Amino acid sequence: MSPVLSVLDLAPIAPGQTARESFAASVALAQAAERSGYRRVWYAEHHNMASIASSATSVVIGHVAEHTSTIRLGAGGIMLPNHSPLVIAEQFGTLETLFPGRIDLGLGRAPGSDQQTMVALRRDPMSADSFPQDVLELQAYLSGKAVHGVRAVPRAEGVVPLYILGSSLFGAQLAAQLGLPYAFASHFAPDSLHQAVSLYRERFQPSEQLAEPYVIAGANVFAAEDHDEAEAQRSVAYRARTRAMLSQGRAGANFTDAEIDAFLASPRGRGLASMTRYTAVGTPDEVRAYLADFATEAQADELILTHHAHDIADRVRSVELTANAMAAVA
């Protein structure tokens, strides 16, 4: 059976583009995903990154929800150590109240930022240590319970399902212990995927939210009618990604394509290149074959796909081609 398909939208701000244009692109992408039958679109919390527009994640979710009708929308994820559980419960209780039955809440414990930004966020460097307790506190607020005499208002009438995100064994163990769905960030951190998923499935304990283990695995996609066009889109996108990392966010770092390619072929660059190991690229048939094999190998119930093409028209087309191809074998 074909896996469920979803989208992870990184809300990219391309060079020369504005954040407003990025938000318009996110709306167009979500509308395409809705038309094409994807289950959900998620947005991730990042800070101090000039190339990503989703720092105020709950605001972006609300904006896209206003321009869509049925598709689920959520955070993939909120970096909970950056926030109090009460504030996140209030934000997502509000979203679920406004858009009932459509809101997800994925939770991670990484900072989503650098050390200086952690200070600006007033984040305690040790706050990640309390992540399991913070998840339980957030869960209590969302279910309408009082924590130390405090309740989250508004509390949505419907359920805001929680998901644990991770790229290591820690998240897998916590998701299993709490009986929550587990989403692995294999689109950029592939190394521990198989071990983490196996551990999660072996140790899963049923909960009120979930009776059986449920795995979401991330992958990158460049789908086009022509294989060479898809390969060209991948080259442009991954060169831009590498250029941004090498420049460390500084504007005007002028690395040529040849310099980027040489770096990626070097011992140091191969480590960076390996981060996007799980990438489907090519025609719809090629992408379908890759994703079907990947879902089987990853023991994934759902694939959350990042469509990376530079131009929004190409990203939308990749979303549509991939959905149509996978539906053909569903």
Side-chain angles (χ1 to χ4, degrees):
M1 179 178 291
S2 181
V4 172
L5 295 185
S6 294
V7 171
L8 175 63
D9 180 2
L10 297 180
I13 306 174
Q17 188 183 52
T18 66
R20 187 178 184 87
E21 290 171 316
S22 174
F23 296 140
S26 288
V27 168
L29 199 72
Q31 290 172 338
E34 185 172 80
R35 290 193 306 268
S36 301
Y38 287 73
R39 176 165 295 180
R40 67 187 98 242
V41 181
W42 280 358
Y43 307 89
E45 176 188 348
H46 294 89
H47 300 282
N48 194 33
M49 299 182 72
S51 60
I52 296 180
S54 55
S55 55
T57 315
S58 59
V59 179
V60 175
I61 293 168
H63 174 67
V64 177
E66 285 282 5
H67 293 83
T68 52
S69 301
T70 57
I71 195 165
R72 298 192 66 87
L73 300 164
I78 290 293
M79 300 298 106
L80 191 54
N82 292 342
H83 312 274
S84 75
L86 174 62
V87 168
I88 298 305
E90 291 170 341
Q91 290 177 3
F92 281 79
T94 299
L95 285 168
E96 174 63 25
T97 299
L98 292 171
F99 308 102
R102 297 182 57 201
I103 302 301
D104 299 330
L105 178 49
L107 301 169
R109 67 176 184 133
S113 60
D114 53 38
Q115 294 294 321
Q116 292 83 358
T117 308
M118 286 176 60
V119 174
L121 287 166
R122 306 296 192 266
R123 172 179 163 148
D124 182 339
M126 303 302 294
S127 58
D129 294 344
S130 64
F131 180 66
Q133 292 75 28
D134 289 345
V135 172
L136 291 174
E137 183 177 336
L138 173 58
Q139 196 171 43
Y141 283 130
L142 289 171
S143 64
K145 297 176 183 176
V147 180
H148 305 301
V150 177
R151 296 181 187 273
V153 180
R155 181 205 170 191
E157 293 182 6
V159 174
V160 179
L162 299 184
Y163 299 75
I164 299 297
L165 315 183
S167 58
S168 69
L169 302 187
F170 177 89
Q173 294 179 69
L174 181 62
Q177 178 184 342
L178 298 181
L180 295 175
Y182 180 50
F184 193 91
S186 39
H187 62 292
F188 78 92
D191 291 344
S192 299
L193 169 64
H194 300 293
Q195 186 179 4
V197 170
S198 294
L199 180 67
Y200 166 72
R201 289 191 175 278
E202 290 169 4
R203 300 189 181 181
F204 180 84
Q205 300 177 27
S207 68
E208 184 177 342
Q209 178 177 328
L210 193 64
E212 301 288 341
Y214 191 86
V215 171
I216 304 174
N220 307 288
V221 177
F222 299 87
E225 282 90 349
D226 178 76
H227 177 87
D228 290 342
E229 173 59 26
E231 287 284 5
Q233 292 175 12
R234 174 169 66 171
S235 294
V236 169
Y238 284 173
R239 282 172 180 156
R241 174 179 177 272
T242 305
R243 191 173 283 113
M245 289 186 173
L246 290 177
S247 65
Q248 297 181 340
R250 297 189 305 273
N254 296 317
F255 296 101
T256 66
D257 287 350
E259 288 171 332
I260 294 295
D261 292 344
F263 171 76
L264 291 173
S266 71
R268 181 179 166 212
R270 281 195 291 271
L272 179 60
S274 71
M275 293 171 64
T276 52
R277 179 189 316 159
Y278 294 124
T279 297
V281 55
T283 64
D285 286 345
E286 290 171 321
V287 166
R288 180 184 65 233
Y290 183 97
L291 293 179
D293 288 344
F294 172 69
T296 300
E297 293 174 7
Q299 303 180 67
D301 303 288
E302 180 175 338
L303 299 181
I304 189 159
L305 307 178
T306 303
H307 297 265
H308 282 290
H310 179 271
D311 293 333
I312 182 57
D314 291 331
R315 290 203 298 278
V316 165
R317 190 62 180 142
S318 183
V319 162
E320 294 169 341
L321 291 173
T322 300
N324 290 338
M326 296 299 285
V329 295

